[in-house]
Each structure stands twice: as C-alpha cells, then as structure tokens.
Amino acid sequence: MPLRSLSRAMFLGFLRDRMTLFWAVLFPLMFLVLFGGLLTDQGASKIDIAQVGDVAALDRMPAPAREALEQSLEIEKVTDEAGAIQQVRDGDLAAVVVEDGDRLVVHYSQADQVTAARVFATFQGIVDSANLAVTGTEPTYSLASQRVEDESLKTIQYVTPGLLGWAIAMSATFGAAVNLVNWRRTGLLRRLRLAPVPTSSVVLARVGVSLSVALGQTAIFIGLAVGAFGLQLTGAWPLAIVLVLTGTLAFLSIGLLAGSICRTEEGAVGLANFIVLPMAFLSGSFFPLDGAPGWLQGISRLLPLRHLNDGMMDVMVRGQGLEAVWQPMAILLGFAAVCSLVAARLFRWDA
C-alpha cells in the first residue's frame, strides 16, 4: 500500500536524521533532566537571617512555632551588628534582627522586593504572636492549614507536563516545516505529485509519523520522570495521550503553514523557532505564570501550547478527569483546522 510504504520511509528518515532526533527528543529531555535534578524536592528557598545578641521574641518562641519558622528562615546568631548589616547591603544576608528594648528592629534591603516582603510579613507575625503571649489574651481566631495536593507531591510533577508540551510543539512544528521545504527544494514533492500516489496518502503518512513520534516522546518523558525523578501520576493520566495527539495535530498544522511560506530550510527553522520558543515561555513550559500581569495572562490564553500544558497538568497532576480535556482538545483542533486551511491555500508543489 502506498500509505504504508510512505509512512515507513518517512519514519525511517526521521530515525536516520540525527539532527532531527536531537532537537525533537534529546534536547527537550536535557531540560527535563536539568529541571528535574535541580528542582525535585525543593520548595521556596530559605531566607538567611542574622540575629544579633538575644532576641526574646525568637529565643522564647514555643518549640512547634520555632520549628515551623525554621522551614522558611535560616537564623544564625552573630555578634558583629555592623558587619552583618553590611552583608545585607552586599546581598549576602536577607536581614539582621536586633532587640532594642521593647522593639524588634529588622534591617533589610529593598533591592529584592520579594524577599523583603517575606521578611516583613514573617517578623510582623512574630511580633503579633509575642504581643498576644505577653498580654495573656486568648486569640479569637486560629489558623489551620492543609495542603490540597498529596503530601508526596514533588516539583517534577509540575515540570514534566510543560516540558512535554514544549517537546511536542518543537517536534511537530520543526518536522513539518523543514521536511516540506526540503522536499520542495529537492523536487521530491513534484515526483510524489506525478507518481500514482494519492495526495491523501502523503498527508496521512506525514500525520501518522508525527503522531507516532509524539507518542514515543510521551513514553520516554513519562518513563524517565517516573523512574528517575519520582513523578507520581494521577488516575486520569492516560487522558494526556489524547491531548498529546490533538496537540501534535495543532503544531503539525503550524509547521505546514511555516513550510508553505518559507523557501529555504534555514528560513523554516528560523520561523519555527520564532513561533515555538516565545510560545513556550508565554505558555508556562519553563516556569509558572501565576505571578504574570493580567495582560500577559490574556495573551498566553490565546496560544495553543498554553491549553496543551494546562490540560496535561490537570489530568497528570491535579487528578481531574474528562471534564478537563474537552476545552483544550476543542481549542487545539480549532487551531489545527484554521492553520491547515491557510497552509493549503499557500501550499506550493514547486520551489
């Protein structure tokens, strides 16, 4: 069958192309290994604090409260107040704490506003607690905190879906764009057009190979994350496969559009990079976008990779089911349809 022969030839061509294998599989895996090794089992970093002399609010703190405090602060007792303050100016310490009569004086730097806010909020809470303890007044309210995720949840579970989405986008976009330009430049497209092979078979073979590569990428990513970094999948994680397939179709169509526009392989690579790399940053593939401004969040929601990443995060990490995949699938398929129609209008058999 022409379809089977074309699919086999395209797949073997993919496996023999070392550069394509590197960019589609090995390069994203390097990021998974890097992020997994650096971020696994790490939360927010501790703040380095210097305590000068005795500070009653800290030294007389109940043991459970002190233990909770030391999860976010690294407190070291020092005697040289001036030297410690200089370390704060130099950025080597976050703050210096000194007791001055009935005042708790905290010297900090505003250079790192996030750390400064954490320091201020922490010591404001310490002072409030100390004041309550001195007055002997029972607090009206108490705080109870409970983590919404499983206690064993690790950072790798947030890293894997985003990097996998980026890998899928890279492979599908680059593969389609570069192959289309290469086939046109070498005259292979013209020969396929003149050969007794239906155009539908050529298209289906290209789609089938891209979907097969995406499934292979998914297996490698999940296998490495589970085996090497302790990724724990929720019960609905197989739904991620459906999202991977629809995401591949979306980015395959974007690659076909790029390949239809460009005349050289270098141009196709540049255009694919211009599309995929900024999209990865704006879609949360490398870091979360929770603190991004509203206008940036709005732009992010217009990108197909954002919906692929969010959908895989929902079913792989957050334990959601079918309700979490319908909207991302519809958006990704919509992108695939629109980009395919535009690519078909711009498509040329000859250079």
Side-chain angles (χ1 to χ4, degrees), residues 37-99:
L38 291 177
L39 302 179
T40 296
D41 292 330
Q42 291 185 4
S45 59
K46 288 187 177 183
I47 301 175
D48 292 324
I49 303 292
Q51 175 185 331
V52 181
D54 295 330
V55 177
L58 294 176
D59 297 335
R60 300 174 188 174
M61 184 178 291
R66 179 73 182 204
E67 183 180 348
L69 180 67
E70 290 178 349
Q71 293 181 2
S72 58
L73 299 185
E74 188 72 40
I75 302 175
E76 179 186 3
K77 287 192 174 183
V78 299
T79 56
D80 183 5
E81 180 179 348
I85 292 175
Q86 184 60 46
Q87 285 186 283
V88 174
R89 291 194 184 99
D90 295 339
D92 298 326
L93 283 174
V96 174
V97 184
V98 183
E99 185 176 288

Side-chain angles (χ1 to χ4, degrees), residues 6-349:
L6 280 171
S7 299
R8 183 175 182 275
M10 290 180 187
F11 188 73
L12 290 176
F14 171 81
L15 294 179
R16 291 167 182 163
D17 190 338
R18 296 180 181 178
M19 190 59 68
T20 301
L21 273 176
F22 173 79
W23 289 109
V25 181
L26 296 180
F27 187 64
L29 278 178
M30 287 167 52
F31 277 78
L32 179 65
V33 173
L34 177 64
F35 286 6
L38 291 177
L39 302 179
T40 296
D41 292 330
Q42 291 185 4
S45 59
K46 288 187 177 183
I47 301 175
D48 292 324
I49 303 292
Q51 175 185 331
V52 181
D54 295 330
V55 177
L58 294 176
D59 297 335
R60 300 174 188 174
M61 184 178 291
R66 179 73 182 204
E67 183 180 348
L69 180 67
E70 290 178 349
Q71 293 181 2
S72 58
L73 299 185
E74 188 72 40
I75 302 175
E76 179 186 3
K77 287 192 174 183
V78 299
T79 56
D80 183 5
E81 180 179 348
I85 292 175
Q86 184 60 46
Q87 285 186 283
V88 174
R89 291 194 184 99
D90 295 339
D92 298 326
L93 283 174
V96 174
V97 184
V98 183
E99 185 176 288
D100 181 15
D102 59 356
R103 295 192 309 157
L104 189 68
V105 182
V106 180
H107 302 274
Y108 68 95
S109 171
Q110 192 63 23
D112 186 342
Q113 297 184 12
V114 174
T115 300
R118 288 176 62 189
V119 168
F120 180 81
T122 299
F123 280 99
Q124 183 64 60
I126 291 172
V127 170
D128 291 344
S129 299
N131 287 334
L132 283 174
V134 169
T135 60
T137 305
E138 289 292 332
T140 304
Y141 300 100
S142 63
L143 175 66
S145 62
Q146 185 173 357
R147 186 173 177 173
V148 297
E149 301 93 359
D150 184 89
E151 290 297 328
S152 61
L153 192 64
K154 299 179 180 180
T155 308
I156 189 66
Q157 296 187 234
Y158 294 100
V159 171
T160 305
L163 290 180
L164 176 58
W166 173 55
I168 297 300
M170 277 189 56
S171 175
T173 305
F174 276 78
V178 175
N179 282 343
L180 185 57
V181 173
N182 178 265
W183 291 354
R184 185 188 297 118
R185 182 181 60 81
T186 58
L188 179 59
L189 275 182
R190 171 178 282 277
R191 290 196 293 271
L192 286 174
R193 185 184 186 186
L194 298 176
V197 178
T199 303
S200 59
S201 296
V202 179
V203 175
L204 289 176
R206 179 67 257 178
V207 171
V209 169
S210 296
L211 294 178
S212 300
V213 170
L215 291 176
Q217 288 176 295
T218 303
I220 294 171
F221 259 76
I222 293 178
L224 181 62
V226 170
F229 303 112
L231 172 68
Q232 295 185 3
L233 299 168
T234 63
W237 76 266
L239 291 173
I241 297 174
V242 182
L243 289 167
V244 164
L245 296 178
T246 53
T248 301
L249 293 177
F251 286 99
L252 180 63
S253 66
I254 293 174
L256 291 174
L257 178 57
S260 299
I261 295 173
C262 298
R263 296 180 178 273
T264 65
E265 294 175 55
E266 292 79 8
V269 170
L271 182 56
N273 257 320
F274 180 77
I275 294 171
V276 174
L277 193 57
M279 191 186 298
F281 281 99
L282 292 173
S283 300
S285 290
F286 302 121
F287 47 81
L289 298 175
D290 298 338
W295 64 268
L296 191 59
Q297 293 273 10
I299 294 175
S300 177
R301 292 189 182 94
L302 298 175
L303 305 174
L305 186 53
R306 171 67 184 269
H307 298 281
L308 176 60
N309 289 344
D310 286 351
M312 290 198 296
M313 181 77 74
D314 288 339
V315 298
M316 291 174 66
V317 173
R318 298 184 178 128
Q320 299 185 30
L322 280 171
E323 71 281 358
V325 301
W326 296 121
Q327 182 176 348
M329 283 178 57
I331 293 172
L332 291 168
L333 291 175
F335 267 93
V338 172
C339 291
S340 296
L341 288 174
V342 176
R345 294 292 301 271
L346 299 175
F347 177 78
R348 303 182 308 275
W349 289 94

